[in-house]
Amino acid sequence: MLISLTRKLLLAFVLLFFLGGTLKAQELVTRKVKPVGQFNGLLRAGLCTSQIYNDDFGGYNKLGLTGGIGVFTRISQRFQFQIEMNYAMRGSRKRPNPKVGDFNTYSIAPHYLDIPLLIKTDINFFEVEFGLLSGFYLYHTERDQRGRIPQNQEVWQFNKYELALNLGINVPITEKWIANARFHYSILPASGQLGVVNGYSLTGGAYNNVITLSVHRLLIPNR
């Protein structure tokens, strides 16, 4: 059911991308000519599907919510700078496998306050974004087939700070509504520590991998 829902979400956003490409040229021009130095706001809300790399579960099987606010401004005719403050749910989930007699489940759900710093640039009808994200760990929960695991029995310990790479694409729906797809990859371990092997190889730690699908409402002041 979870995989089916994820596929439906992906299909919905693909449809939004194609709809975005049919916008009138005048609407696109209106978006692109925001004056340099003018500050604009945005509200965002969406869903994310995630995994924790190196947890041995594999697959983007954990659904979560994300949402927040942001400010962006054009710093040149080609580039815009954007900063956001978001609440985000990440994590990982082991699904049961009845075919082999495995009915056990396990889920890890860390909650974060995220502050991404992004550079955006226009490419045809789309807007590409890239940058770094500072994630501040708030708390997490762990569950198995019996329910929530008591805090004193939890297995995972998360680092208080996470540095991640963000890559994304914006597709206009209307002049003030945007569909966004974003990929998040931890650069520093979300849990555990990096280590050096044989004097040169870095290994260790667990990393958050997240695909976020969201909708943004632009707050652009009247000229």
Side-chain angles (χ1 to χ4, degrees):
M1 180 177 177
L2 183 62
I3 293 177
S4 176
L5 177 59
T6 303
R7 287 175 177 171
K8 289 179 180 179
L9 289 172
L10 290 172
L11 178 59
F13 269 78
V14 168
L15 291 175
L16 285 177
F17 289 171
F18 280 107
L19 288 173
T22 63
L23 283 176
K24 296 179 182 179
Q26 182 59 44
E27 290 177 322
L28 293 171
V29 169
T30 301
R31 287 184 59 241
K32 291 185 178 182
V33 296
K34 292 186 283 291
V36 173
Q38 173 182 295
F39 286 90
N40 312 281
L42 65 88
L43 304 175
R44 66 186 303 270
L47 295 174
C48 50
T49 178
S50 60
Q51 66 172 359
I52 300 178
Y53 181 74
N54 274 347
D55 68 354
D56 297 328
F57 294 162
Y60 288 81
N61 296 319
K62 185 72 174 66
L63 278 180
L65 300 175
T66 185
I69 60 176
V71 175
F72 64 98
T73 184
R74 185 169 293 279
I75 56 178
S76 72
Q77 291 302 315
R78 185 174 180 183
F79 295 103
Q80 298 182 65
F81 172 76
Q82 181 165 304
I83 181 171
E84 301 171 3
M85 181 178 293
N86 301 313
Y87 166 79
M89 299 168 61
R90 301 197 263 280
S92 183
R93 179 173 179 263
K94 176 192 175 297
R95 304 176 68 242
N97 188 0
K99 292 182 179 180
V100 297
D102 179 7
F103 297 94
N104 296 324
T105 64
Y106 195 83
S107 68
I108 314 156
H111 298 243
Y112 286 88
L113 175 65
D114 289 339
I115 301 179
L117 304 176
L118 304 169
I119 296 295
K120 306 191 299 183
T121 185
D122 298 312
I123 300 180
N124 294 326
F125 295 114
F126 309 106
E127 196 173 60
V128 176
E129 60 181 26
F130 55 92
L132 296 176
L133 175 145
S134 292
F136 299 92
Y137 167 78
L138 301 175
Y139 70 95
H140 81 280
T141 60
E142 298 178 33
R143 296 179 180 272
D144 60 17
Q145 64 277 6
R146 293 165 293 188
R148 181 168 178 174
I149 297 173
Q151 190 172 9
N152 60 355
Q153 298 178 23
E154 291 175 344
V155 176
W156 283 76
Q157 291 185 346
F158 287 88
N159 299 325
K160 296 296 183 182
Y161 176 75
E162 176 193 4
L163 180 66
L165 174 68
N166 273 193
L167 299 172
I169 185 170
N170 294 320
V171 180
I173 304 172
T174 69
E175 185 179 345
K176 292 188 177 181
W177 288 93
I178 288 178
N180 172 267
R182 185 178 294 174
F183 179 67
H184 167 117
Y185 186 87
S186 298
I187 299 174
L188 297 179
S191 178
Q193 301 296 326
L194 283 173
V196 180
V197 178
N198 297 327
Y200 65 90
S201 178
L202 292 175
T203 186
Y207 300 80
N208 285 318
N209 297 172
V210 188
I211 297 173
T212 300
L213 305 175
S214 62
V215 175
H216 298 184
R217 172 63 163 89
L218 303 184
L219 306 174
I220 302 174
N222 295 325
R223 296 185 185 179

